[in-house]
Amino acid sequence: MLELNAGQIKSMNLSELSQLCDKARQEIISTVFKNGGHLSSNLGTVELTVALHYVFDFPRDKIVFDVGHQCYTHKLLSGRADKFSTIRKKGGLSGFPKREESEYDCYNTGHAGTSVSAALGIAKARDVKGEDFNVIALIGDGSFNNGLIYEAFNSLRLLNTRILVILNDNGMSISPTVGSMHEYLEILSNDSAHNAKRQRHATIFERFGFKYDGVYDGNNLVGMIEKLTEIKEALKTQSVILHVMTQKGKGYEFCEENPEATHGISISSSDNYSKEYSEVLGATLSGLAEKDERIVAVTAAMTSSLGLGGFFEKYPGRSVDVGICEEHATILCASMAAAGLKPYYAVYSTFLQRSYDEIVIDICSQNLPVTLCIDRAGISGSDGETHQGVFDISFLSSVPNLAIAVPKDVKEFEAMVKFSAGYNAPLAIRYPREGVRVFRQQSEIVLGKWEILKKGDGKCAVIACGERAVSLALAASQILEEKNIAVKVINARFVKPLDKAMLDSLSENRIVTIEDNMLAGGLGSLIDCYYSDKDKRIKNFAYGDEFIAHGGVGELMDGLGLNCGAIAEYIENEIG
Amino acid sequence: MLELNAGQIKSMNLSELSQLCDKARQEIISTVFKNGGHLSSNLGTVELTVALHYVFDFPRDKIVFDVGHQCYTHKLLSGRADKFSTIRKKGGLSGFPKREESEYDCYNTGHAGTSVSAALGIAKARDVKGEDFNVIALIGDGSFNNGLIYEAFNSLRLLNTRILVILNDNGMSISPTVGSMHEYLEILSNDSAHNAKRQRHATIFERFGFKYDGVYDGNNLVGMIEKLTEIKEALKTQSVILHVMTQKGKGYEFCEENPEATHGISISSSDNYSKEYSEVLGATLSGLAEKDERIVAVTAAMTSSLGLGGFFEKYPGRSVDVGICEEHATILCASMAAAGLKPYYAVYSTFLQRSYDEIVIDICSQNLPVTLCIDRAGISGSDGETHQGVFDISFLSSVPNLAIAVPKDVKEFEAMVKFSAGYNAPLAIRYPREGVRVFRQQSEIVLGKWEILKKGDGKCAVIACGERAVSLALAASQILEEKNIAVKVINARFVKPLDKAMLDSLSENRIVTIEDNMLAGGLGSLIDCYYSDKDKRIKNFAYGDEFIAHGGVGELMDGLGLNCGAIAEYIENEIG
């Protein structure tokens, strides 16, 4: 194991620093293959991070990691090597920067493009308080597509402050980086021998008030130390963009050759997946698109993970990955729908948060037939607070014109995607990554209609949405059956609109709701509202008012009260 | 009145077109002074719009107006002159582009920076469907700061399509435009005589795949017709940015001299305002900042309307208007808080929607002491769907760590702002524009504590938040008093956390909630959840599942069931 006291790095010679890089790299590889996590991005930034720690004075100097999936070496070098084996485990180190964990982490990240804004804010605070330290944003070229970068650059002069932006260019976000900014960065890189031409190109950054310096080899430890030492001096008077090239997956041949597949490594906790939802999306949508030429697909930088690799190959003219630009992707979908197409926007739940305003204004206030395919909904697990998809029902349920569907399994998901093709208004379908089971019962999808999975004896109805919640409901009902309690189990396929006819018809006085989402604004709260002036006694199983840290999906749900034992116990106590 | 058949403009000669401009301008001035609305922005674009209608073939060709507050001439020229006197009135024309209103409006707007994305989507749909027409985005330099523009530009080549972007540069958003992009546009403008130098600068747009053409006088009708005719030809093979300068408020001296004050004209429906909330914010925050040097203020392009003009003048080093960059503004606040400052982000409710992800991830998951001052919350009136502030409680109520305060009047608002200074966690305070009344009762603000305004006789408790809802509650209670029904009236100062002690202590079995917000995720739904397993019969007065079009605040609330008569009637029927 790599052992290192914070600060110790300062006294190392080059040979020791080089060995440190090797050790860090080994530690990252062996730990990620045990715990899962971001591999290639972390392997690419080992030398750069060691050089930063050698040249700068952390934690006095501050560094903000964009997205944060390249912070492992930083964690190893800042007194956390002994806990590194716990990374991404419940109660262990976070896989992202975390202020609560170490004073070396000055700002938590997880979503793309925030680092330059955050570095500017920290620098501005330094100036207001009359302090003196350096502030660094380390950002990949994938994040560089995001509009936030432009907004931050645009205010550099306004804020009248100084920061260092290190552009870590590896040609990848999760998918390969796309778009004109990427092409521009490529030109800068290719021109590195032709200084005059490069300087002309660099004007795009200089316009914003940065001194541009690049392109250098970010995997060259000695070169990085020299360059950063020079820049540390320059930072006393101006802001600098340092453009370095690194190799994603550096030092591990398999990663170097498969940077997209090894961006994140998942350690599966279950061997009996039926299928991932994303696979079903890809296959179903490709099938539908054969018959309906209006169907187009849009993603924001993670086409393969969303299952749309095949669709994109088959329909290159009808698919677009816009890079990490969730807002723009949403408006593209709305406007293509306004002009007569049938767009599908596939996105992870947590990143859809970026599109909230555009969902309200562009898609829903215009009542346009865009389908949001919301992957990684519910607790997503080891990535922690910034990646849990537990807010989507809450922020979508108050948006008029939007229907929200939640499939109980991959089969029902397939039926919902097929349903969407004939549905001419805004629709969101939310689902987790893994489809674990397939239920026997499969009936036709009708807008706002639920299905009864178990009849019960008229005392208690359990209303659940989504595979995880429906599974819990059925498991609880089985526990109860052994105690001669028969509950009705309802699959609430649509959170919006509610199945009011079914709600009106329920004779049960005790109602239990279960969902893999926050309570406020969730399925439970919608049912509470619907029954607010009725004589029903309702218990909501959902997530309460707290952020959910990293851990396994099952153990996290369990710890938060979403377990069949607790549900069965509640019902038994109520009606037993 | 200006009368004009759609298409008639094509056969006009220059002198007639010039007269048409005069007529349109007169019509806009006289109507806006009657109905309120956007004045200066519309006056600035009269010639440009007439030239566009002369040269292009609407509605076959498509134009997307960024934000949309410069579309009045377009409305006048597209068969809506006879209804123009109804603009912004309930049931009349919208003050923004609206597809439901005319086939000449191809895409609804209202929030900044969406036009280039939307134009790209429409152009992409055209290409996919094999159609042939021109797509134009008309965008002001204020919107040009927004990150969406950059995201859209970045994908132009990816989408492999053609659009015309007209950059309408008047040096203003609502406040004067700020930031480096603005400075860059100024350089382009000043260089117009020096073609070589200008061409070098233009590279920033050319990088993204546009041909750049500018700068021209957008108020010169003949020049615009000639230039647009030329560009229409160029558009057959490539995308173009046309950079024009216009004078905001052109042709009306008062507006030319006061473009910020005359950006929007309000026709007050009430003469007995006590004070605007924004004034109170400015005065209170300035006072607090004298004692607390950590206090900083951030706005996104509407400093004066938010009441912070004085603060900005008094504390230039501790205030920043970042332009129309709501996401960046939010992260700046979060990061300044992480570095020890006490930031206030003042913003209109509807524009805060842009910051949803950053509120969740940057502010709240880090539990940072940022105060969101949410102005124009609730129904905002004549601007319609895209500007109603009715979603904020809904999208904020499920965010952990965030407290949400809603003042019953300007006095209480002042007390809440003072409370915020000592509160060390995320806090949102939401309030409407106009403070109409000041209540006699004023008590100390304590986190999560409500106040009882009227005692009642134990049968029914009315729980309301915010000035409008509390006023309705009291008005309803007075109607009921005449019928010998005494209801308890509670001012729910904090929507989050709820005053659980008070909720637990209420002996009333009938509960009524009132709020100027959507029901789903709102105060009512939180109370429904809290009481879901209790024996309470609850009725929620809030907005249902539909978008709210333009009209007067009072008449809209009234029409949506938020009126004291309906509330009193419900209670009388229930317990009378």
Side-chain angles (χ1 to χ4, degrees):
Chain A
M1 201 186 72
L2 185 145
E3 285 187 56
L4 192 71
N5 299 323
Q8 195 177 329
I9 195 172
K10 295 280 182 193
S11 58
M12 287 184 175
N13 62 34
L14 279 176
S15 148
E16 290 168 323
L17 289 169
S18 176
Q19 284 171 35
L20 184 62
C21 291
D22 294 341
K23 276 194 204 170
R25 189 164 268 122
Q26 280 315 312
E27 189 77 28
I28 290 169
I29 292 171
S30 64
T31 305
V32 169
F33 275 101
K34 269 184 246 143
N35 298 17
H38 290 97
L39 185 54
S40 302
S41 47
N42 277 301
L43 292 180
T45 49
V46 172
E47 288 79 11
L48 178 58
T49 311
V50 168
L52 280 164
H53 274 259
Y54 182 78
V55 174
F56 288 92
D57 302 304
F58 306 118
R60 191 170 156 272
D61 292 329
K62 313 290 176 197
I63 181 164
V64 183
F65 292 90
D66 204 274
V67 185
H69 52 210
Q70 73 293 61
C71 70
Y72 289 5
T73 304
H74 172 75
K75 295 213 174 197
L76 287 169
L77 301 182
S78 56
R80 284 172 277 183
D82 59 332
K83 296 186 203 124
F84 196 67
S85 63
T86 69
I87 199 161
R88 293 165 53 87
K89 298 280 184 196
K90 189 156 185 267
L93 289 185
S94 166
F96 292 87
K98 202 155 181 183
R99 296 165 71 234
E100 303 88 319
E101 201 173 86
S102 165
E103 61 178 339
Y104 284 79
D105 293 356
C106 65
Y107 196 82
N108 300 1
T109 49
H111 289 195
T114 68
S115 63
V116 184
S117 297
L120 284 172
I122 292 165
K124 179 71 183 175
R126 170 197 65 197
D127 302 346
V128 168
K129 294 160 83 181
E131 295 173 341
D132 180 27
F133 53 78
N134 295 296
V135 187
I136 302 164
L138 174 58
I139 175 167
D141 57 312
S143 290
F144 234 64
N145 285 343
N146 191 275
L148 264 168
I149 299 305
Y150 174 83
E151 296 188 351
F153 280 10
N154 191 53
S155 76
L156 174 67
R157 285 210 179 89
L158 277 176
L159 290 162
N160 191 25
T161 190
R162 287 162 295 106
I163 61 170
L164 166 60
V165 175
I166 301 178
L167 169 55
N168 171 32
D169 189 354
N170 56 30
M172 304 285 295
S173 41
I174 291 179
S175 303
T177 307
V178 295
S180 292
M181 179 47 82
H182 173 61
E183 288 165 28
Y184 179 59
L185 296 178
E186 272 193 339
I187 291 170
L188 291 182
S189 312
N190 296 337
D191 282 356
S192 59
H194 313 284
N195 208 47
K197 196 173 168 200
R198 177 163 54 88
Q199 281 312 322
R200 185 163 64 78
H201 285 135
T203 185
I204 201 167
F205 300 118
E206 285 158 4
R207 275 287 140 230
F208 291 110
F210 285 98
K211 170 185 158 66
Y212 171 86
D213 198 358
V215 181
Y216 304 97
D217 177 2
N219 294 120
N220 178 336
L221 179 65
V222 179
M224 278 297 98
I225 290 177
E226 285 171 3
K227 179 45 69 181
L228 287 170
T229 306
E230 186 190 319
I231 281 179
K232 195 179 171 185
E233 201 53 35
L235 271 179
K236 290 179 179 162
T237 55
Q238 64 185 134
S239 289
V240 179
I241 287 195
L242 172 65
H243 186 175
V244 306
M245 298 294 293
T246 62
Q247 186 174 11
K248 203 165 176 176
K250 176 77 179 179
Y252 189 54
E253 202 178 344
F254 180 69
C255 291
E256 289 180 9
E257 285 166 12
N258 302 283
E260 186 170 358
T262 58
H263 170 80
I265 302 290
S266 285
I267 306 301
S268 171
S269 57
S270 160
D271 293 331
N272 52 357
Y273 278 18
S274 74
K275 211 172 222 178
E276 293 208 349
Y277 279 83
S278 55
E279 289 177 62
V280 178
L281 175 68
T284 312
L285 205 56
S286 291
L288 291 169
E290 269 179 36
K291 285 166 254 163
D292 187 347
E293 293 188 348
R294 300 169 311 137
I295 289 179
V296 289
V298 176
T299 61
M302 35 191 60
T303 307
S304 303
S305 321
L306 290 156
L308 292 178
F311 185 101
F312 273 55
E313 255 175 52
K314 198 166 170 190
Y315 306 104
R318 288 156 60 188
S319 51
V320 54
D321 169 359
V322 295
I324 310 180
C325 300
E326 296 88 355
E327 292 185 271
H328 171 57
T330 311
I331 301 175
L332 265 188
C333 287
S335 52
M336 289 195 291
L341 296 184
K342 178 80 184 164
Y344 287 75
Y345 177 29
V347 59
Y348 288 6
S349 171
T350 188
F351 301 135
L352 185 66
Q353 293 173 188
R354 281 276 170 89
S355 303
Y356 174 71
D357 184 55
E358 292 75 17
I359 293 169
V360 176
I361 301 296
D362 293 88
I363 295 178
C364 294
S365 89
Q366 297 192 83
N367 201 20
L368 293 168
V370 174
T371 304
L372 304 171
C373 301
I374 310 177
D375 201 336
R376 270 69 164 175
I379 287 184
S380 65
S382 317
D383 285 333
E385 290 90 334
T386 54
H387 284 63
Q388 311 291 15
V390 297
F391 296 102
D392 56 64
I393 299 181
S394 299
F395 69 76
L396 294 176
S397 66
S398 57
V399 184
N401 294 338
L402 181 69
I404 307 172
V406 192
K408 71 172 181 297
D409 62 16
V410 289
K411 269 288 214 198
E412 189 162 285
F413 177 52
E414 185 185 335
M416 282 173 174
V417 175
K418 287 179 178 167
F419 165 85
S420 74
Y423 185 67
N424 197 29
L427 173 67
I429 313 178
R430 62 106 71 177
Y431 46 93
R433 177 178 189 161
E434 70 290 349
V436 178
R437 57 186 287 183
V438 174
F439 295 84
R440 202 165 34 189
Q441 185 174 336
Q442 301 290 340
S443 55
E444 195 198 349
I445 303 293
V446 180
L447 179 71
K449 288 293 163 203
W450 296 348
E451 65 172 357
I452 295 173
L453 298 176
K454 271 192 166 186
K455 276 190 169 175
D457 57 14
K459 283 190 192 143
C460 175
V462 181
I463 306 174
C465 70
E467 179 170 338
R468 293 172 182 171
V470 169
S471 298
L472 283 174
L474 289 171
S477 80
Q478 268 181 321
I479 296 173
L480 291 164
E481 265 175 32
E482 288 162 25
K483 301 179 179 189
N484 289 318
I485 299 171
V487 296
K488 183 177 281 178
V489 177
I490 296 171
N491 169 27
R493 288 167 160 178
F494 286 88
V495 167
K496 195 163 167 265
L498 296 175
D499 188 341
K500 292 178 182 176
M502 186 176 289
L503 287 170
D504 288 343
S505 74
L506 290 185
S507 59
E508 289 83 355
N509 171 256
R510 297 288 199 288
I511 307 288
V512 168
T513 71
I514 314 175
E515 69 197 295
D516 183 18
N517 191 83
M518 303 296 284
L519 173 58
L523 171 71
S525 85
L526 296 174
I527 291 175
D528 293 346
C529 285
Y530 190 75
Y531 279 144
S532 67
D533 60 350
K534 301 286 188 309
D535 188 26
K536 302 277 186 197
R537 196 177 167 91
I538 313 172
K539 171 75 177 176
N540 306 125
F541 288 88
Y543 304 126
D545 193 28
E546 59 182 325
F547 282 97
I548 301 168
H550 53 288
V553 173
E555 64 182 344
L556 289 174
M557 290 181 68
D558 208 55
L560 293 163
L562 261 74
N563 67 75
C564 55
I567 295 164
E569 193 184 328
Y570 170 81
I571 295 172
E572 191 187 353
N573 287 340
E574 279 289 298
I575 64 169
Chain B
M1 202 188 71
L2 184 148
E3 285 188 56
L4 192 70
N5 299 323
Q8 196 178 330
I9 194 172
K10 294 281 182 193
S11 57
M12 287 185 176
N13 62 33
L14 280 177
S15 146
E16 288 168 325
L17 290 168
S18 175
Q19 283 171 36
L20 183 63
C21 291
D22 293 341
K23 275 194 204 169
R25 190 164 267 122
Q26 280 315 313
E27 190 76 28
I28 289 167
I29 293 171
S30 65
T31 305
V32 169
F33 274 101
K34 269 185 245 143
N35 298 18
H38 291 97
L39 185 53
S40 302
S41 47
N42 277 301
L43 292 181
T45 50
V46 172
E47 288 79 11
L48 177 59
T49 311
V50 168
L52 280 164
H53 274 259
Y54 183 79
V55 173
F56 287 93
D57 300 305
F58 305 118
R60 192 171 155 271
D61 291 330
K62 313 290 177 198
I63 181 164
V64 183
F65 292 90
D66 204 273
V67 185
H69 53 211
Q70 73 293 59
C71 69
Y72 289 5
T73 303
H74 173 74
K75 295 214 175 196
L76 287 169
L77 301 182
S78 56
R80 284 172 277 182
D82 59 331
K83 295 186 203 123
F84 196 67
S85 63
T86 69
I87 198 161
R88 292 164 56 84
K89 297 283 184 195
K90 190 158 185 264
L93 289 184
S94 166
F96 291 87
K98 204 156 181 181
R99 295 166 71 233
E100 304 87 318
E101 201 174 85
S102 165
E103 60 177 341
Y104 284 78
D105 294 356
C106 65
Y107 196 83
N108 300 0
T109 50
H111 289 194
T114 67
S115 64
V116 183
S117 297
L120 284 171
I122 293 166
K124 181 70 182 174
R126 171 196 65 196
D127 301 346
V128 168
K129 294 160 82 181
E131 295 173 339
D132 180 25
F133 52 79
N134 295 296
V135 187
I136 302 163
L138 174 58
I139 177 167
D141 58 312
S143 290
F144 234 65
N145 284 343
N146 191 276
L148 264 169
I149 299 304
Y150 173 82
E151 296 188 350
F153 281 9
N154 191 54
S155 75
L156 174 67
R157 285 208 178 93
L158 277 176
L159 289 163
N160 190 25
T161 191
R162 289 162 294 108
I163 61 169
L164 167 60
V165 175
I166 301 177
L167 169 56
N168 171 31
D169 188 355
N170 57 31
M172 304 285 293
S173 43
I174 292 180
S175 303
T177 308
V178 295
S180 293
M181 180 46 81
H182 173 62
E183 286 164 31
Y184 179 59
L185 296 178
E186 273 193 339
I187 291 171
L188 291 182
S189 313
N190 296 337
D191 281 357
S192 57
H194 312 286
N195 208 46
K197 196 174 168 198
R198 178 162 54 88
Q199 282 310 324
R200 186 162 63 78
H201 285 134
T203 185
I204 201 167
F205 300 118
E206 286 157 3
R207 276 284 141 231
F208 291 110
F210 286 99
K211 169 185 159 68
Y212 170 87
D213 198 358
V215 180
Y216 304 97
D217 177 0
N219 294 121
N220 178 336
L221 179 65
V222 179
M224 277 297 97
I225 289 176
E226 285 171 1
K227 179 45 69 182
L228 288 170
T229 306
E230 186 190 319
I231 282 179
K232 194 179 172 185
E233 202 50 37
L235 272 179
K236 290 177 180 163
T237 54
Q238 65 185 134
S239 290
V240 179
I241 287 196
L242 172 65
H243 186 176
V244 305
M245 299 294 294
T246 62
Q247 185 173 13
K248 203 165 175 176
K250 175 76 178 179
Y252 189 53
E253 200 177 345
F254 180 68
C255 290
E256 289 180 9
E257 286 166 11
N258 302 284
E260 186 171 357
T262 59
H263 170 81
I265 301 291
S266 284
I267 305 301
S268 170
S269 56
S270 161
D271 293 331
N272 51 358
Y273 278 18
S274 73
K275 210 173 222 179
E276 293 207 349
Y277 279 82
S278 56
E279 289 177 63
V280 178
L281 175 67
T284 312
L285 205 55
S286 291
L288 290 169
E290 268 178 37
K291 285 165 256 163
D292 187 347
E293 292 187 348
R294 301 169 311 137
I295 288 179
V296 289
V298 175
T299 62
M302 35 191 60
T303 308
S304 302
S305 321
L306 290 157
L308 293 178
F311 185 100
F312 273 56
E313 256 176 52
K314 198 165 168 190
Y315 305 104
R318 287 157 62 189
S319 51
V320 54
D321 169 359
V322 294
I324 310 180
C325 301
E326 295 89 356
E327 292 185 90
H328 171 56
T330 311
I331 301 174
L332 266 188
C333 287
S335 53
M336 289 195 290
L341 296 185
K342 178 80 184 163
Y344 287 76
Y345 177 28
V347 58
Y348 288 6
S349 171
T350 188
F351 301 135
L352 185 67
Q353 294 173 187
R354 280 277 169 90
S355 303
Y356 174 71
D357 183 54
E358 292 75 17
I359 293 169
V360 176
I361 301 296
D362 294 88
I363 296 178
C364 293
S365 88
Q366 298 191 81
N367 201 20
L368 293 168
V370 174
T371 304
L372 304 171
C373 302
I374 310 177
D375 201 336
R376 268 71 165 176
I379 287 185
S380 65
S382 317
D383 285 333
E385 288 90 335
T386 54
H387 284 64
Q388 310 292 14
V390 298
F391 296 102
D392 57 63
I393 298 180
S394 298
F395 70 75
L396 294 176
S397 66
S398 56
V399 183
N401 294 338
L402 181 68
I404 307 172
V406 191
K408 71 172 182 296
D409 61 17
V410 290
K411 269 287 214 198
E412 190 162 284
F413 177 52
E414 185 184 336
M416 283 172 173
V417 175
K418 287 179 178 168
F419 165 85
S420 74
Y423 184 68
N424 197 29
L427 174 67
I429 313 178
R430 62 107 68 177
Y431 46 92
R433 176 178 188 163
E434 69 290 351
V436 178
R437 56 186 288 184
V438 174
F439 295 83
R440 204 164 34 186
Q441 185 173 334
Q442 301 290 340
S443 55
E444 196 198 347
I445 304 293
V446 179
L447 180 71
K449 288 293 163 202
W450 296 348
E451 65 171 358
I452 295 172
L453 298 177
K454 271 192 168 185
K455 278 192 169 175
D457 57 14
K459 283 190 193 144
C460 175
V462 181
I463 305 174
C465 70
E467 179 171 336
R468 293 173 182 169
V470 169
S471 296
L472 282 174
L474 288 171
S477 80
Q478 267 181 323
I479 295 173
L480 291 164
E481 263 175 34
E482 287 162 25
K483 301 179 178 187
N484 290 320
I485 299 171
V487 296
K488 182 177 283 179
V489 176
I490 296 170
N491 170 28
R493 287 167 162 178
F494 287 88
V495 167
K496 192 159 169 271
L498 296 174
D499 188 340
K500 293 179 181 175
M502 187 176 288
L503 285 170
D504 289 342
S505 74
L506 289 185
S507 58
E508 290 83 354
N509 171 257
R510 297 290 199 285
I511 307 288
V512 168
T513 70
I514 315 176
E515 69 197 297
D516 183 17
N517 191 82
M518 302 297 284
L519 173 57
L523 171 72
S525 84
L526 297 174
I527 290 175
D528 293 346
C529 286
Y530 190 76
Y531 279 145
S532 67
D533 59 351
K534 299 288 186 309
D535 188 26
K536 302 276 185 197
R537 198 177 167 92
I538 312 172
K539 169 77 178 174
N540 306 125
F541 288 88
Y543 305 127
D545 193 28
E546 59 183 323
F547 282 96
I548 302 169
H550 53 288
V553 173
E555 64 182 344
L556 289 174
M557 291 180 67
D558 209 54
L560 294 164
L562 261 74
N563 67 75
C564 55
I567 296 165
E569 194 183 328
Y570 169 83
I571 296 172
E572 192 187 353
N573 287 340
E574 279 289 298
I575 65 168

